[in-house]
Every structure is written in structure tokens, then in C-alpha cells.
């Protein structure tokens, strides 16, 4: 039986921001019900121990995020949440001391990515206040993400935007160095116990309207990860935010059948031969990271 290191269980398709780097979903806006979430946990239990509560959408918008965490714990899962962090004050009481919660990733680049964002210092400090409280009370791991670099990364605007955020972090954790001195794209710097800051190039979602490459290469989709969108569509990886590579719907067929189905099998067999059999995969720049 396949065992996935990561399983993306989207709990909502709705986001409270409109970031320039993240195309809005064309899917129906919805929140997963507690009943459906519980059923999906039961179906994927033999396949993974770690779940991520997003593909698209902002997880902290879900009004019952605390109950979803409790259900996850009851069924033996460790949970990772990636959030833009704007709703952390509103939800802190729903997150603190939840034993299922293993890691939280805060996409700090969301602030500048969303037109109309206000009070950058207040935004960052509210996240850092939560982190200090949460890491004191639990073994929570935290990743602060600045995924907004360009390949030349020389523009004054970029440097200034990130410097403001990094300065606040340096002040809060009493660092005696400038974080940029230790950061390189794709790597992380430890700023406190179980707290890391990661910088990387701006993320680009694959899409069918993008240019197709030669289709050669490898990917870990359906090898170490898979996902289920809020509408029940099973996807091969977290980059298929629209369910283009629809492997089947969990509401119509058991996950065990879907993951062993023809389309899923063809994807895995294809990458074993270093060939992307799906059109979306041939238009995914992230695949190039794994070489040919």
C-alpha cells in the first residue's frame, strides 16, 4: 500500500485575500462539513499520518477549525496548516494547545501580494505574538515564509518590503544579525526554538494556458503526496488547485479505488520513465526542480 508523506485535505475553497501570485479558484465556494471531513480522514488513514489543511483557500476561515483539529487528533493524524496569518488573532483560541497541530506555515509574502493590505507592523507582530505563546505551550513548529523573490532579486522595492518584515522579526527575537546575511533561496534560518524563516522565489501555479515543455522529468506527485479538494475531487499533488487532473471523486468512489485507478497509475508509471503523461504536468515549472 502507498504511504504518502503529505496529504492535502482542503477544508475550504474560499480565501479572504486576493494575492497577485495566487489565481482565484473557479470552483464553487464551500467549507467542508465535519461529517465529510471525518469520512475522508477514515478513508485516507491507511495511506498517511500527516495532513495539510489546504490546497487553495484560507484554512483559518473555516468556522469549525478547532473541531477539525480535534477530529484529526482523535483519528491519529498530525496536522500542518499554511495560512496568510491575517486571521490569527480571531482564531488563536481555536489553535492553542491542540495536540494534532504539528506545524504552522505563515505566508508573510501575502501582505504585499494583496492590494489594499494595511498596517504591516501590526500584521507581523500579531503573528509573532501567537508564535511565542504557542511555542511556549506546545511543541509546535513554525515556518515564516517570504516566497516573493524574483530571479535577479535586485529591485529596491523587494529589498525594502522584506527588510521591514525581517527587522520586526529581528527585534522580536532579539537577533544580533540581519537575517538576509544567512538566508538563501530555498533554505531556512532558525530564529528561535522550532521557529524558522524561509525565503524562496515567487511561486507560480501551473495552468493549462501556460506553455508546454518537452514533458520529460520526474515528480513526487502520487509518490509522496496526494490531495482531496473541498468538493471531493482527488488530485495527484498540491499544485492542481483546480482539480484539472481529476482522479475521481471521493463522494462517488472509495479513495482506495481512486488511487489505484487507471489515470493515477498512468501518472506514476509515466514519472518512473521520466515522462509527464498529463498536460498540466507538462505545464508545471515546479517539476523542473527534480531534474530530468
Amino acid at each position: 500500500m502507498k504511504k504518502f508523506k503529505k496529504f492535502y485535505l482542503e477544508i475550504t475553497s474560499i480565501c479572504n485575500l486576493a494575492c497577485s501570485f495566487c489565481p482565484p479558484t473557479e470552483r464553487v465556494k464551500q467549507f467542508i462539513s465535519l461529517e465529510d471531513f471525518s469520512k475522508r480522514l477514515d478513508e485516507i488513514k491507511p495511506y498517511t499520518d500527516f495532513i495539510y489543511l489546504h490546497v487553495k483557500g484560507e484554512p483559518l476561515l473555516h468556522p469549525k477549525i478547532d473541531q477539525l483539529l480535534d477530529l484529526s487528533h482523535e483519528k491519529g493524524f498530525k496536522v500542518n496548516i499554511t495560512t496568510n496569518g491575517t486571521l490569527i488573532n480571531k482564531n488563536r483560541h481555536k489553535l492553542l494547545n491542540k495536540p494534532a497541530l504539528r506545524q504552522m506555515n505563515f505566508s508573510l509574502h501575502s501582505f504585499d501580494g494583496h492590494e489594499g493590505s494595511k498596517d504591516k507592523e501590526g500584521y507581523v507582530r500579531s503573528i509573532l505574538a501567537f508564535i511565542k505563546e504557542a511555542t511556549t505551550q506546545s511543541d509546535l513548529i513554525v515556518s515564516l515564509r517570504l516566497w516573493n523573490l524574483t530571479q535577479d532579486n535586485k529591485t529596491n522595492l523587494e529589498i525594502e518590503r522584506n527588510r521591514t518584515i525581517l527587522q520586526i522579526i529581528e527585534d522580536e527575537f532579539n537577533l544580533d544579525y540581519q537575517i538576509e546575511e544567512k538566508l538563501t533561496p530555498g533554505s531556512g534560518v532558525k530564529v528561535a526554538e522550532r521557529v524558522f524563516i524561509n525565503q524562496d522565489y515567487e511561486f507560480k501555479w501551473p495552468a493549462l494556458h501556460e506553455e508546454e515543455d518537452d514533458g520529460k522529468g520526474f515528480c513526487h506527485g502520487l509518490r509522496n503526496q496526494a490531495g482531496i479538494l473541498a468538493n471531493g475531487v482527488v488530485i495527484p499533488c498540491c499544485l492542481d488547485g483546480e482539480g484539472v487532473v481529476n482522479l475521481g471523486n471521493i463522494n462517488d468512489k472509495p479513495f482506495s479505488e481512486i488511487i489505484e485507478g487507471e489515470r493515477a497509475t498512468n501518472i506514476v508509471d509515466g514519472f518512473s520513465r521520466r515522462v509527464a503523461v498529463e498536460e498540466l504536468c507538462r505545464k508545471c515549472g515546479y517539476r523542473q526542480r527534480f531534474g530530468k
Side-chain angles (χ1 to χ4, degrees):
M1 181 179 290
K2 296 177 181 177
K3 197 80 171 178
F4 300 110
K5 293 179 182 178
K6 301 177 180 180
F7 203 102
Y8 294 86
L9 205 55
E10 186 186 68
I11 59 175
T12 180
S13 57
I14 306 169
C15 190
N16 61 322
L17 299 185
C19 295
S20 58
F21 53 82
C22 188
T25 180
E26 297 174 4
R27 293 182 280 121
V28 174
K29 294 182 177 181
Q30 65 185 118
F31 293 104
I32 195 171
S33 68
L34 292 178
E35 181 182 7
D36 282 345
F37 185 74
S38 180
K39 286 179 182 176
R40 291 176 194 184
L41 289 180
D42 289 340
E43 292 219 29
I44 68 172
K45 181 58 184 170
Y47 298 90
T48 191
D49 299 315
F50 299 95
I51 55 175
Y52 293 67
L53 301 186
H54 77 285
V55 175
K56 288 284 188 77
E58 167 51 51
L60 299 192
L61 271 177
H62 199 294
K64 297 181 179 179
I65 183 69
D66 49 346
Q67 295 177 59
L68 298 181
L69 287 169
D70 289 341
L71 269 172
S72 300
H73 178 61
E74 287 172 19
K75 295 178 183 293
F77 289 94
K78 288 295 183 183
V79 176
N80 300 269
I81 291 178
T82 296
T83 173
N84 59 44
T86 57
L87 303 172
I88 197 64
N89 284 341
K90 183 179 179 180
N91 287 280
R92 53 181 294 282
H93 64 288
K94 295 183 179 182
L95 302 170
L96 291 171
N97 292 312
K98 289 296 185 185
L101 191 54
R102 172 187 173 271
Q103 180 169 333
M104 289 194 69
N105 308 312
F106 291 90
S107 299
L108 300 182
H109 48 280
S110 300
F111 185 91
D112 289 315
H114 175 74
E115 188 176 343
S117 293
K118 297 178 181 178
D119 189 14
K120 181 182 287 188
E121 182 170 350
Y123 163 74
V124 178
R125 290 197 185 279
S126 67
I127 290 172
L128 297 181
F130 169 81
I131 288 170
K132 287 190 170 183
E133 185 174 7
T135 53
T136 299
Q137 298 177 4
S138 69
D139 294 327
L140 182 70
I141 301 166
V142 175
S143 172
L144 297 165
R145 294 176 172 178
L146 277 171
W147 290 4
N148 59 357
L149 300 181
T150 56
Q151 290 298 326
D152 57 13
N153 193 36
K154 298 296 182 185
T155 65
N156 289 330
L157 178 60
E158 253 179 20
I159 294 170
E160 183 181 330
R161 281 176 169 179
N162 287 355
R163 176 92 292 271
T164 303
I165 291 176
L166 295 175
Q167 182 67 58
I168 298 169
I169 294 170
E170 289 161 8
D171 293 344
E172 282 286 338
F173 290 103
N174 299 312
L175 303 182
D176 59 1
Y177 59 86
Q178 287 200 330
I179 293 172
E180 298 101 318
E181 297 170 3
K182 300 187 177 186
L183 267 181
T184 56
S187 70
V189 171
K190 184 177 180 179
V191 296
E193 190 62 33
R194 301 189 313 282
V195 181
F196 303 85
I197 183 160
N198 299 86
Q199 200 162 29
D200 212 334
Y201 296 109
E202 184 173 305
F203 176 79
K204 188 173 184 180
W205 289 87
L208 292 179
H209 64 259
E210 297 291 344
E211 188 175 347
E212 190 168 318
D213 61 26
D214 62 10
K216 296 178 181 178
F218 181 77
C219 180
H220 293 286
L222 293 180
R223 290 180 188 271
N224 71 6
Q225 67 165 278
I228 305 176
L229 298 176
N231 61 11
V233 170
V234 177
I235 53 175
C237 74
C238 62
L239 304 188
D240 187 3
E242 291 303 296
V244 172
V245 187
N246 183 341
L247 302 177
N249 196 300
I250 199 77
N251 298 317
D252 304 324
K253 190 183 297 185
F255 180 77
S256 57
E257 287 185 27
I258 294 172
I259 208 65
E260 298 295 339
E262 183 179 2
R263 194 169 188 179
T265 301
N266 287 341
I267 292 171
V268 175
D269 290 348
F271 282 126
S272 294
R273 306 189 307 272
R274 300 299 190 269
V275 175
V277 300
E278 290 284 346
E279 181 183 358
L280 187 71
C281 300
R282 296 193 294 272
K283 296 179 176 180
C284 178
Y286 198 86
R287 196 185 81 248
Q288 304 302 330
R289 297 189 181 199
F290 305 118
K292 294 185 178 182

